[in-house]
Amino acid sequence: MAIVTVTNSSVAVNSFKLSQPLGAALALLGLKGMIPLFHGSQGCTAFAKSMLVKHFCESIPLSTTAMTEVSTILGGEENVEQAIVTLAERSKPEIIGLCTTALTETRGDDMPRFLKEVRDRHPELDHLPIVLVSSPDFKGTLQDGYAAAVESIVKQIAQKSDKQDPSPTQVVILPSSAFTPGDVEEIKEIITAFGLKPIVVPDLSASLDGHLEDSYSAITACGTSLTELGEIGNSVFTLAFGESMRSAAQILHERFGIPYEVFGELTGLEPVDNFLQALADLSGTSVPEKYRRQRRQLQDAMLDTHFYFGCKRVSLALEPDLLWSTVCFLRSMGAEIHAAVTTTRSPLLEKLPISSVTIGDLEDFEQLAPTSDLLIGNSHTVAVANRLGIPLYRQGFPIFDRVGNGLFTKVGYRGTMQVLFDIGNIFLQAEEARIQHSGSFNVLSSEI
């Protein structure tokens, strides 16, 4: 059981957490024909768009109501109406995701009333679904905004088709913000191998996996479609990945009576074993030989790399869901968690198998991390790693100084092997550098 410490500093010296609207936009981009709309100033949208473009190296559809000083004082209803009507006419979206920001949440705009009055005045919008997400910047973080968007999707858009009987093979997949598009693709491939049909909400593997389309589109070209969202209620089971997805799974259970199970991690031998066993029980199908072989490969990889992980001191700065998964994996390989810093509260924090975890910023991380053998965090931790002279393994969001982030995979047997080799090679390189430095020093001493 970990002791959770919250820093009581009145200012974030080196901020770590990202905003809720950014997380909400990330989730909404996993829907087909979507364009997220921020109700706030242009700066809020520009910040989120910049982060997403740098991380994925893709064009990101994102719009804003462009609130000014005057509209903030007089009210933003007109801006919301004009933005929705303009997007509907010019971009022809299949769905709009309307996200609030700190500016409008602080002012107290009545967004449900805004939307109702806009629809009353514009009957041409009756066919256009609009997902409303409450995502103020002044509380929560990226993981919270992402989870709030998924909850809004399954609460406001998901339906049950009366023309179709419940499908014994259809399952709902709810991946949290800790999972990359590459992770989602691997999860879909594994589930499909058991003869099951997954509906992924949101499906980032289809929209942000880095593929080229035949033509430019001002909206997302791929992702979870409205047709799939209309059939969610006919699913036989929900598989939620990450504790932050539990509330969304509960909403589906309450609305449609769909049972669910939450998997906290899919990296490591035992977590993947448990996942595949659950799929085997759900489908009535034995584990395919393909994954039996991958399991044997992972066992060999663990034997090859465990020498480098044993007793290594690792410090992490990650969002709660990703922190839980990474800590459990590292401990299974014999590494020691020297320090853990995260962004927001989560039921997982107290359950972490470490002595303490800090909810704080990167200044706290820099003060806790010295004497570590490895740091794990996003690209904002690069400066910390350089000042401390400690190797860094990049995880999380954003990663803007490396390419291929959308396709990176850390789940399943194959993904676990990739993480093992990546971190193992960092430890191996550090050991070689230490030996070379020590050898040079000894030669110099003998000459003297």
Side-chain angles (χ1 to χ4, degrees):
M1 297 292 289
I3 298 174
V4 181
T5 303
V6 182
T7 55
N8 56 7
S9 174
S10 58
V11 62
V13 177
N14 191 356
S15 184
F16 173 33
K17 69 179 183 179
L18 300 170
S19 69
Q20 278 206 76
L22 173 56
L26 178 60
L28 293 170
L29 289 170
L31 304 186
K32 183 177 183 294
M34 162 63 73
I35 183 165
L37 171 64
F38 281 12
H39 181 34
S41 67
Q42 289 180 315
C44 295
T45 308
F47 169 79
K49 190 180 183 74
S50 173
M51 285 285 186
L52 291 165
V53 169
K54 287 180 178 179
H55 181 84
F56 292 106
C57 297
E58 302 292 335
S59 60
I60 301 294
L62 207 58
S63 190
T64 177
T65 58
M67 295 285 286
T68 63
E69 295 89 343
V70 174
S71 59
T72 300
I73 296 171
L74 299 180
E77 183 173 0
E78 182 179 342
N79 291 58
V80 173
E81 179 176 359
Q82 183 178 355
I84 292 176
V85 172
T86 301
L87 288 175
E89 291 177 351
R90 295 183 180 180
S91 301
K92 309 296 182 187
E94 297 177 30
I95 183 171
I96 291 177
L98 180 58
C99 307
T100 62
T101 62
L103 178 66
T104 53
E105 287 275 0
T106 303
R107 187 184 181 280
D109 284 350
D110 188 349
M111 299 304 298
R113 179 180 65 82
F114 282 10
L115 284 181
K116 182 179 183 303
E117 293 180 355
V118 169
R119 288 192 180 279
D120 290 341
R121 288 191 291 267
H122 297 275
E124 70 274 14
L125 299 176
D126 289 346
H127 71 285
L128 180 63
I130 301 176
V131 179
L132 176 60
V133 185
S134 176
S135 52
D137 304 67
F138 52 74
K139 68 175 184 178
T141 183
L142 179 144
Q143 177 178 294
D144 298 316
Y146 185 102
V150 176
E151 291 167 22
S152 295
I153 293 169
V154 299
K155 183 184 297 182
Q156 301 173 27
I157 306 297
Q159 298 295 329
K160 182 174 183 178
S161 175
D162 296 331
K163 300 179 182 179
Q164 177 182 335
D165 295 330
S167 172
T169 60
Q170 180 174 292
V171 294
V172 183
I173 309 301
L174 301 175
S176 78
S177 59
F179 294 85
T180 68
D183 292 335
V184 177
E185 183 66 32
E186 181 71 11
I187 292 171
K188 286 166 56 179
E189 183 177 327
I190 294 173
I191 292 173
T192 304
F194 283 83
L196 299 171
K197 174 190 174 184
I199 295 180
V200 186
V201 184
D203 192 355
L204 296 178
S205 70
S207 59
L208 291 176
D209 60 335
H211 66 279
L212 292 177
E213 293 290 339
D214 295 332
S215 60
Y216 170 77
S217 174
I219 57 179
T220 54
C222 302
T224 312
S225 66
L226 284 175
T227 300
E228 291 176 314
L229 291 174
E231 298 174 353
I232 280 182
N234 299 89
S235 303
V236 67
F237 204 81
T238 297
L239 298 167
F241 300 100
E243 181 63 29
S244 62
M245 291 292 101
R246 185 179 295 275
S247 294
Q250 290 173 341
I251 291 172
L252 290 178
H253 178 66
E254 294 167 1
R255 290 192 64 194
F256 307 115
I258 306 174
Y260 67 90
E261 184 174 355
V262 179
F263 294 87
E265 69 271 9
L266 282 183
T267 304
L269 184 63
E270 185 176 357
V272 181
D273 285 350
N274 294 337
F275 175 51
L276 265 60
Q277 185 59 56
L279 293 178
D281 295 339
L282 184 61
S283 65
T285 304
S286 61
V287 177
E289 179 58 33
K290 170 184 177 179
Y291 297 108
R292 295 177 185 271
R293 178 170 177 77
Q294 287 183 11
R295 187 179 191 276
R296 292 191 289 268
Q297 291 174 329
L298 174 57
Q299 288 176 310
D300 183 72
M302 293 171 71
L303 288 172
D304 294 340
T305 58
H306 82 276
F307 299 102
Y308 307 119
F309 282 80
C311 298
K312 288 295 193 298
R313 294 159 60 88
V314 183
S315 293
L316 310 95
L318 301 169
E319 298 260 7
D321 280 359
L322 186 55
L323 178 67
W324 170 270
S325 174
T326 310
V327 165
C328 292
F329 168 69
L330 291 171
R331 282 180 55 85
S332 72
M333 289 300 298
E336 299 176 0
I337 306 304
H338 178 53
V341 176
T342 191
T343 55
T344 185
R345 285 198 172 274
S346 167
L348 292 175
L349 299 184
E350 286 81 2
K351 301 176 184 177
L352 280 167
I354 56 180
S355 59
S356 65
V357 57
T358 301
I359 299 176
D361 56 24
L362 290 179
E363 183 188 41
D364 301 309
F365 184 60
E366 187 168 355
Q367 292 174 352
L368 295 169
T371 73
S372 299
D373 297 301
L374 178 70
L375 305 183
I376 298 181
N378 59 28
S379 290
H380 290 153
T381 60
V382 171
V384 175
N386 290 338
R387 285 194 292 268
L388 296 179
I390 300 173
L392 172 68
Y393 180 59
R394 291 164 178 80
Q395 278 275 39
F397 183 97
I399 298 176
F400 45 75
D401 55 349
R402 293 291 186 274
V403 295
N405 303 310
L407 294 178
F408 173 75
T409 305
K410 61 182 178 299
V411 302
Y413 295 131
R414 287 193 304 181
T416 301
M417 281 187 281
Q418 186 62 58
V419 175
L420 275 174
F421 295 143
D422 288 346
I423 298 180
N425 284 330
I426 292 176
F427 285 142
L428 179 58
Q429 185 177 10
E431 182 68 16
E432 290 175 346
R434 186 188 66 81
I435 293 173
Q436 291 175 359
H437 177 76
S438 175
S440 300
F441 179 79
N442 290 335
V443 170
L444 181 61
S445 298
S446 63
E447 291 176 352
I448 294 175

